[in-house]
Amino acid sequence: MPFLSVIIPVYKVEDYLNRCVESVLNQNFTDLEVILVDDGSPDNCPKICDDLAQSDARVKVIHKQNGGLSSARNAGIEVAQGEYIAFLDSDDAWAEGKLAEVVDVIKKTNAEMTIFASCDKLANGELYQRKGITDCTDSYMQFPIIEYYKRLIENGNLQESACTKILNAKFLKDNDLTFQYGIISEDTEWMFRVLRVCKNVVATNVLLFVCTYGREGSISNTAGVRSINS
């Protein structure tokens, strides 16, 4: 059983997929599995997924009919074997050599949810670090949930992205913290449910998550009637 399961939904990201997966496999912490959930992608992604699985035994592939981001993540949760679970979108990446530092914090604290620092990668390659709860005075800080709520309100940033967190798998599954189907901004709805049952949170200033900012066609860069109504 690996320490960490990394769930990566895959849909129309053939130009980014290898970079994403390699950023996980090449980390300085190797006790992990990568679960690629091909959500019926119509491009070359299914083959890329299979090729990655053939080249590294830590990679598992699920091919499924298209159902959206929530459906893909939930399919990954169902088969995840790790003691902890992380989510990563397939057009994003992890910063080189940072995972071991985050895992060290998790092992020291045994928190149900660990939040790490993140940044946006702009089109010109520049990195813009996000501000929020991970602005710690020490390498990490541990909060009871009431204190964490207070910090969120003070910062005015919920930091709801599932991709900036690692969660205890038993906590996730025992509380049925899967993602809701058929909505945009599913991370926001999910995060509120996580916070209702979470007892302790750890935040670390280790910068692990690198978001590809403003990619055309990405869910976070798409607006419409459904997203407004949601």
Side-chain angles (χ1 to χ4, degrees), residues 5 7 69-71 73-74 77 84-89 112-116 145 148-149 152 158-169 171-181 183-198 201 230:
S5 297
I7 298 171
L69 181 61
S70 291
S71 172
R73 284 176 174 170
N74 292 345
I77 293 172
Y84 288 84
I85 291 177
F87 302 97
L88 181 60
D89 289 345
E112 293 166 330
M113 180 169 66
T114 301
I115 302 174
F116 42 82
I145 192 62
Y148 181 67
Y149 269 116
L152 291 178
L158 183 59
Q159 288 192 296
E160 65 270 30
S161 172
C163 296
T164 61
K165 300 163 184 68
I166 294 177
L167 295 97
N168 179 279
F171 164 75
L172 196 73
K173 295 177 180 180
D174 285 354
N175 290 284
D176 193 27
L177 294 172
T178 53
F179 293 84
Q180 185 172 332
Y181 297 102
I183 63 171
I184 301 295
S185 301
E186 52 272 282
D187 285 14
T188 303
E189 188 276 337
W190 172 81
M191 184 62 172
F192 277 117
R193 283 189 287 115
V194 171
L195 292 176
R196 288 191 192 108
V197 293
C198 191
V201 178
S230 298

